[in-house]
Structures are given as C-alpha cells and as structure tokens.
Amino acid sequence: MHSVLTRVATAQAATDEQFRSLRALSGAPWELLRNVPRRLGRLATFLPSNNLLYSYILFGVIPSLYSDEVRIRPSARVAPAAMAVHEILGPHLRDLGGGRIIMAPVSQRDFLADCVRSDAVVFTGRPDNGEAVAARLPGDTLLLTFGSGPNPVVVGPEADPDAVCRAVLDARLYNSGQDCLCTDIVFVHRSLVREIVPRLADALAEVRVGDRRDPATRVAPLVYPDAVEDAAGFLSAHREFTVHGGRVDAARRVVEPTLLHLPWQDAFHPPEFFSPVVLTMEYDDPRQVVRWLHSAEETARGMYVSVFGESALVGTTRIATSVVCEERITFDVEDGNRPFGGYGPRAGSVRRGGTVAGRPLLLSAEAGVRARP
C-alpha cells in the first residue's frame, strides 16, 4: 500500500495517511452510533486526486457500512494509483459484510448518470465543478461538496518564534504543499517579522528536496503540471517579494521551497498554491486580520484559521466563516470521524431539498436521523 501511495505522495505523507486511515476505521463504530445514518441505497463519490487511501476510507469504506452500494469515480489524474488502492483493499472488504464498493475510471459524463440515480453524492474538487454537478441532480439528492480554503496562520506578538516556524512548515509543506489543508498565507505581527521571516528562510534552505519515495524527502516533484505552472506564474509576478528560493524547474515539476514576504494588503487573497510556497504578510493590528476574514472572498471560502500568540483572536469558535484553531494547525484538528472544514460555502457545503448551507461536513451526520435541514 505504501508503495502505491508514494506514486502521488511523499513517503512522509503516505505514512501519515496510513495512520489517519487506521484511526478513522477505529473510530467508525463510534461515528455511526453517534450519528445513526439512515440506510442509503446508493452513494456516488468523486474521489479526490490526493489522499487516495484516506479518501477511500472516508468516502467509500465507512459509508459502505450504511449503504447498499458505493460507486467511486477516481480522478483521471491518478486513476491507476486509486484503482491499485481499491484492488488491495477490495477483496478484504467483501468479507466484512458492508455494501458493495465499485470503483470505475469512467468519464464524468457517464458518472453523472450514476449520480442522478443515487441517494447521496460526495463531490471533492473545484467549487465551480461542484455547482455543475449539483445542477444535474434531482432536488432530493443529498449532495456534499468539499472544496478548499486558504487556512491562514496568524503569528501574534506573544507567539514562540521557534515553535511557530515549525508549525508553519508543517502546515505548508505536507506532501510538498499538495493538500487542501495546507496554509496559503501566514499573517505575522510587525513586532515578530524580523525574527520569524529569517527563521523561515533558514529552515526552508534546509528542506530536503528529492525522490518522494525517500523517507527523508520533504519536498518532491509535484504531481500536477498545472500546479507547477501556477506557482511559476505567481512567483514571477511577485519576484520582488522573494526572500528565499523562487526557482521552478517545469521539466522536472520541481518548485523550490520558497518564501515570500508581503506588506499588508487588504485586497490580497492568495491562490491555492498546491506547492511548497510559504507566503507571509505583515500586520499591525488583529482587527486587520478580522476585517480580511470578513471580506466577501474569504467569507465564501472560510475553512480554518490557526492562531498563535494573538490573544485578541482567541476565545471564540470561529471568525466569520473560519473555524478558529488555537495554537494548532489544520492537520492537528482534522478528524475523519468528525465534521470537516468551516462554514464558507465554497470550502464545503451540503445541499438538501434545494437548500444549500456551508458548514463542516461529515456524511454520516448529514445522512443521520437528526440531520439539520
């Protein structure tokens, strides 16, 4: 299994993914007892192109315990690896008494026909594509769409520089930055900029770049050519803000671990890098961060905001649509048996009976007998 996962993930990320998968399986009985999901005749799942095993567990194996049939469409980008995961686990799952799990690398058009005949659909991908899928479904189909958000980290004046730098790299470099939970922007209080930025630059200079199968590798060639192209375009357009790195080898799909530092810009909204680019932005007052999180763009894509050493932003469960993580990063709080994400509709939403709501998502909870409308 590990050799299959390292086709698209670093060895470090693949090992973490295997442990997260085991934890989710161990927590499945508690999850189902807590949520009491109704029986689904058919579930249709669009499998994401990363976290292949973990996603297979969350959106395939666990739902098969309360579904007669689970039909999975792997992403065309990584279909051979996804099919290999299914081929390894499929024979064992058939002996456990759950519903059938069928994985087929069919076209999106053909899979939509399966979705139309399903009780529930899980979509993972770009929000615009999720809206296109929603438009094709009957009004009574339960649809969960999982998108992404910038997951900012806030480094306040009371933060420990060494600890927060480790946290930032963990939040940004997971699987070379190719994860929707990775942080796309780090807000650093003016009083700590001269400590944090040089530390991050020095740490990035020591990051091991190499073969993703090597356990010592932290950054490997990216899986998606468009992620390389997007990173190259952004780094070129913001070259004057580069503190460390900045080189891109498109032929090898390697983006050098890079640090950029920007002055405060109210109207700046980072892209989803999906690459090892660390972007810091200086702030003076926590109200700037609050105002930024309440902007229309960030309200739409709010997932998590991690807060270190900024007392003005803690003591509340969320700011706008972003769930607050105190002294923790997204990978610390994510739990496969609990609702995932924030309240931004483009980060994650549920559609039921023509009503759409952005909120943290867990399929068994949305299919539960006490599910919210």
Side-chain angles (χ1 to χ4, degrees), residues 72-346:
I72 301 175
R73 177 186 182 268
S75 167
R77 295 172 180 247
V78 295
M83 291 298 296
V85 169
H86 178 62
E87 289 164 5
I88 291 171
L89 294 183
H92 303 284
L93 295 171
R94 284 193 287 271
D95 297 331
L96 297 180
R100 290 194 307 157
I101 301 178
I102 302 168
M103 182 183 286
V106 299
S107 69
Q108 181 163 307
R109 178 179 179 179
D110 289 343
F111 194 67
L112 279 172
D114 286 330
C115 294
V116 169
R117 299 190 296 271
S118 298
D119 298 305
V121 175
V122 169
F123 178 84
T124 56
R126 298 183 182 278
D128 293 342
N129 293 338
E131 292 173 6
V133 170
R136 298 285 302 275
L137 299 178
D140 59 350
T141 302
L142 175 63
L143 171 64
L144 275 64
T145 62
F146 293 82
S148 63
N151 300 311
V153 169
V154 180
V155 181
E158 302 162 21
D160 177 85
D162 288 327
V164 82
C165 283
R166 289 192 297 270
V168 166
L169 294 189
D170 288 342
R172 178 62 262 175
L173 299 183
Y174 186 91
N175 192 22
S176 305
Q178 300 169 108
D179 195 285
C180 70
L181 281 174
C182 287
T183 290
D184 291 315
I185 189 166
V186 182
F187 297 118
V188 183
H189 190 268
R190 175 172 47 84
S191 64
L192 281 184
V193 166
R194 291 186 178 181
E195 290 189 74
I196 296 296
V197 172
R199 275 180 167 85
L200 285 174
D202 291 343
L204 286 171
E206 299 298 321
V207 167
R208 172 74 173 271
V209 180
D211 191 308
R212 66 172 59 91
R213 296 167 296 182
D214 184 343
T217 292
R218 196 163 192 186
V219 170
L222 302 184
V223 176
Y224 318 114
D226 51 340
V228 180
E229 295 167 5
D230 291 346
F234 184 90
L235 295 179
S236 177
H238 297 80
R239 187 176 292 111
E240 70 270 29
F241 301 108
T242 303
V243 177
H244 172 80
R247 290 181 289 273
V248 176
D249 186 336
R252 295 173 53 231
R253 296 187 184 177
V254 172
V255 176
E256 182 182 19
T258 298
L259 173 63
L260 298 92
H261 181 67
L262 277 65
W264 180 263
Q265 300 176 36
D266 270 307
F268 178 83
H269 301 282
E272 183 182 19
F273 286 113
F274 235 62
S275 59
V277 175
V278 179
L279 175 66
T280 60
M281 180 179 285
E282 181 176 331
Y283 78 97
D284 292 294
D285 188 304
R287 287 174 292 187
Q288 292 173 291
V289 178
V290 172
R291 186 169 63 246
W292 187 86
L293 290 169
H294 276 89
S295 66
E297 181 153 348
E298 299 311 328
T299 299
R301 61 179 188 161
M303 285 183 71
Y304 298 102
V305 54
S306 297
V307 180
F308 295 83
E310 181 55 86
S311 57
L313 301 183
V314 298
T316 182
T317 57
R318 61 172 160 146
I319 301 173
T321 56
S322 295
V323 172
V324 176
C325 308
E326 297 184 19
E327 305 293 326
R328 296 183 296 170
I329 60 172
T330 54
F331 295 98
D332 295 330
V333 301
E334 195 277 335
D335 182 335
N337 303 119
R338 293 181 180 275
F340 168 86
Y343 293 82
R346 292 182 67 81

Side-chain angles (χ1 to χ4, degrees), residues 30-41:
W30 170 87
E31 175 190 330
L32 301 191
L33 283 171
R34 184 173 187 271
N35 295 313
V36 195
R38 63 184 173 86
R39 189 77 185 173
L40 300 176

Side-chain angles (χ1 to χ4, degrees), residues 45-81:
T45 293
F46 290 81
L47 203 69
S49 57
N50 61 331
N51 291 311
L52 298 181
L53 171 62
Y54 191 47
S55 299
Y56 183 83
I57 297 298
L58 298 189
F59 305 133
V61 177
I62 295 177
S64 76
L65 300 175
Y66 54 91
S67 304
D68 296 331
E69 179 179 278
V70 179
R71 301 185 72 87
I72 301 175
R73 177 186 182 268
S75 167
R77 295 172 180 247
V78 295

